[in-house]
Amino acid sequence: MNVLLLALSTVSNGKLNCFSYQYEDEPSFNGYYQLEPIPKFLNEKLEKEKQEHLDYIITLNTKEVNSSVLDTVICNSKNGIEYEFFNITAKMFFEKMLCNGQKAFQQMPKIISIPIDVDDIIPGIILAMNQLRKLKDKSNDFNLYIDMHGGPRNTQMTFQTILSLLKHESIYPSSIYTIIMNKSKPNTIKDDTKYFDYIDFVSGMNEFLNFGKPISIKSLNNLNDLSLRDFTEKANQIADALTLCDMSAFQKSLEDMSNWLNNREIKQDSLLELFIKNIRMDYGVLLKENHDVIDEIQWCLTKGYLQQALTLIESKMPEELFKKGIFHYDENFMVEIKKDPDKSKIKVKDAIECAKAAQHREWESDINYIFIKWIKVLDIFDKDDNGKHISFELNKTHQEYLDFYLPFWPDFKNKIFLTVSRGKSVALKVMLKNEIYINQDLQDMCMRFLILHYTLKQERNIANHAIGERKTNVYDIKEAIAGYIDLARILYRA
């Protein structure tokens, strides 16, 4: 099904002169009404190239187009009066001219008129959208064409709104045409589809920068700009990683984007140049080689990617804390196996592997495994009468997480016991950064940080694995993550 969407213009009362129109190198043809050429040209093009024709023309009509009656419309050619109409509206005149003159329709398409008010275009847009949906549902091969050059003053805005709405339903125009008026040669029928693709790309870029959504490759089909395609590939890698909550892929895609921005070859007239500054501002420190996981968590929090921020906390923060020396242990240190008559020793890293295997947690990194076991042995959570840990409630502002009351003083000397075989284990002591040991305020901050880390990990697991009912609301999770970030940065500065 081939459908043309256009906006009708009013017609002058009295005499109309003949104009010549041409598409590329094809023979020119004559017409009198400015909305006459493109339907005729397009219908002939479809017949020649696809042995098809225009099935429907949807016209957007103002009240003047529909109801203002013209006493006389005379179509003048070089040879005198060619057509003469009496008591006719612009809508009727348009239909008459499709049936007459050069390239006249042999089989008239069905014309569907949509009333539109220049002062309130929304009702007309809704009617047009509903009509286009109905036609789309009737055909498995739906082709939409747009004639952009007619209609009232806000036609461009109306069409752009309709096209944006259609995009969300995966309906893209096959071609968009307009007419360039020339003085000394035939007026030019021009294919302007690529300008819609520019608008589409800009819209996609705004969605990407504001919400991290992928940019549709469809919008780049007519853009002969390899830098745009390269960027879109990198941008979609970031968006896909965020969508899948794959934070390792997210970190890798950020690195790829940074490398591409630093080594890009972009044409000076490329549309992408307009966005380079915005991209650098939006991703900021994440494009720098020395950014840390806390920067990524802050970015996710700002964008509203809470589950992604929680995943970074759960999966990436322990290793970062280890690298920064906030907590540490020597994986190559030899520790004695308890209850072993031979008093054998084993490397810490091998003991961790044995302990993980015993719990079927081989998939977990050594550092993440040790970090959570260490938090548990510190015994920093309230307990009920049965000795069971009471969950810490996330119900504070982010500032309150810096000084909330601590019911217990942890013993940072407590050791982790790792089972290496049946009845045998080793003791592992996890060390804190020296500056934390000698500063009570930093110890308090560290304890609050560890409580928050463990609690946020549980929040992440509740959502990811559907293991319980989440009782914390979005606001409280945002505040807790913000408090976690503040505490981490205090410990980083220690």
Side-chain angles (χ1 to χ4, degrees), residues 477-492:
I477 291 175
K478 284 182 176 180
E479 290 297 300
I481 294 173
Y484 181 91
I485 292 169
D486 291 342
L487 288 165
R489 286 179 169 152
I490 289 170
L491 295 179
Y492 284 6

Side-chain angles (χ1 to χ4, degrees), residues 365-380:
S365 77
D366 289 0
I367 293 173
N368 285 19
Y369 178 77
I370 291 297
F371 189 63
I372 293 302
K373 287 186 75 69
W374 178 54
I375 292 176
K376 289 179 178 179
V377 301
L378 293 178
D379 205 23
I380 55 179

Side-chain angles (χ1 to χ4, degrees), residues 313-365:
I313 288 170
E314 186 267 345
S315 64
K316 299 298 180 182
M317 275 301 292
E319 300 218 12
E320 175 151 299
L321 294 166
F322 186 84
K323 288 177 182 176
K324 290 182 178 292
I326 306 300
F327 84 105
H328 58 94
Y329 61 87
D330 185 353
E331 65 175 13
N332 293 312
F333 185 72
M334 301 296 292
V335 288
E336 185 177 305
I337 301 175
K338 295 183 179 299
K339 297 185 180 181
D340 181 1
D342 298 328
K343 295 186 177 181
S344 302
K345 291 187 175 183
I346 186 174
K347 278 188 177 182
V348 167
K349 66 179 179 181
D350 295 329
I352 294 171
E353 289 301 317
C354 292
K356 289 197 302 182
Q359 293 183 283
H360 305 292
R361 300 185 69 84
E362 294 92 340
W363 51 268
E364 191 169 15
S365 77

Side-chain angles (χ1 to χ4, degrees), residues 196-247:
F196 166 74
D197 291 321
Y198 290 145
I199 295 168
D200 194 28
F201 179 76
V202 171
S203 175
M205 280 296 301
N206 286 331
E207 288 188 357
F208 173 71
L209 291 172
N210 290 326
F211 309 111
K213 291 184 178 180
I215 301 171
S216 172
I217 296 294
K218 180 81 174 178
S219 68
L220 303 178
N221 280 346
N222 297 318
L223 302 182
N224 186 24
D225 190 335
L226 292 178
S227 62
L228 284 179
R229 294 176 183 271
D230 288 344
F231 168 76
T232 300
E233 180 182 342
K234 300 291 185 295
N236 285 348
Q237 287 172 359
I238 293 174
D240 290 344
L242 285 168
T243 301
L244 296 172
C245 212
D246 185 342
M247 304 322 288

Side-chain angles (χ1 to χ4, degrees), residues 435-479:
E435 287 81 358
I436 298 175
Y437 276 127
I438 61 175
N439 187 315
Q440 186 61 56
D441 287 339
L442 284 177
Q443 286 188 37
D444 292 348
M445 293 297 180
C446 183
M447 185 172 167
R448 294 181 180 107
F449 175 81
L450 296 176
I451 290 172
L452 258 186
H453 180 94
Y454 188 83
T455 307
L456 289 171
K457 171 184 165 64
Q458 295 303 102
E459 285 290 334
R460 182 258 182 192
N461 290 343
I462 288 170
N464 264 31
H465 307 300
I467 58 175
E469 182 181 354
R470 174 174 270 175
K471 298 179 181 179
T472 313
N473 61 42
V474 170
Y475 172 80
D476 286 336
I477 291 175
K478 284 182 176 180
E479 290 297 300

Side-chain angles (χ1 to χ4, degrees), residues 249-431:
F250 174 63
Q251 290 175 322
K252 175 65 168 59
S253 61
L254 284 174
E255 181 182 339
D256 290 345
M257 176 66 85
S258 178
N259 290 336
W260 183 84
L261 285 170
N262 291 331
N263 300 291
R264 73 190 190 282
E265 291 184 6
I266 301 176
K267 297 185 296 183
Q268 288 188 346
D269 60 348
S270 171
L271 190 61
L272 187 57
E273 273 297 331
L274 295 173
F275 288 97
I276 293 299
K277 182 179 179 181
N278 302 74
I279 295 165
R280 291 194 180 280
M281 287 175 59
D282 186 72
Y283 283 88
V285 70
L286 299 192
L287 297 176
K288 296 180 180 178
E289 191 174 343
N290 61 348
H291 83 269
D292 52 39
V293 177
I294 281 294
D295 295 322
E296 295 173 8
I297 296 170
Q298 179 69 71
W299 186 87
C300 287
L301 177 61
T302 302
K303 292 288 183 183
Y305 290 115
L306 300 188
Q307 195 62 22
Q308 289 79 355
L310 292 173
T311 300
L312 284 167
I313 288 170
E314 186 267 345
S315 64
K316 299 298 180 182
M317 275 301 292
E319 300 218 12
E320 175 151 299
L321 294 166
F322 186 84
K323 288 177 182 176
K324 290 182 178 292
I326 306 300
F327 84 105
H328 58 94
Y329 61 87
D330 185 353
E331 65 175 13
N332 293 312
F333 185 72
M334 301 296 292
V335 288
E336 185 177 305
I337 301 175
K338 295 183 179 299
K339 297 185 180 181
D340 181 1
D342 298 328
K343 295 186 177 181
S344 302
K345 291 187 175 183
I346 186 174
K347 278 188 177 182
V348 167
K349 66 179 179 181
D350 295 329
I352 294 171
E353 289 301 317
C354 292
K356 289 197 302 182
Q359 293 183 283
H360 305 292
R361 300 185 69 84
E362 294 92 340
W363 51 268
E364 191 169 15
S365 77
D366 289 0
I367 293 173
N368 285 19
Y369 178 77
I370 291 297
F371 189 63
I372 293 302
K373 287 186 75 69
W374 178 54
I375 292 176
K376 289 179 178 179
V377 301
L378 293 178
D379 205 23
I380 55 179
F381 290 92
D382 274 328
K383 296 179 182 178
D384 61 19
D385 294 338
N386 297 318
K388 185 179 179 181
H389 284 171
I390 298 174
S391 297
F392 180 74
E393 292 187 15
L394 301 178
N395 56 5
K396 301 171 175 53
T397 66
H398 71 273
Q399 295 95 336
E400 290 171 339
Y401 284 109
L402 300 181
D403 59 4
F404 66 87
Y405 173 71
L406 297 170
F408 300 102
W409 299 108
D411 186 353
F412 288 114
K413 295 179 182 178
N414 285 356
K415 293 183 179 180
I416 299 169
F417 286 91
L418 302 170
T419 301
V420 295
S421 62
R422 188 178 181 86
K424 297 178 181 179
S425 63
V426 299
L428 172 62
K429 184 177 181 181
V430 174
M431 304 295 292

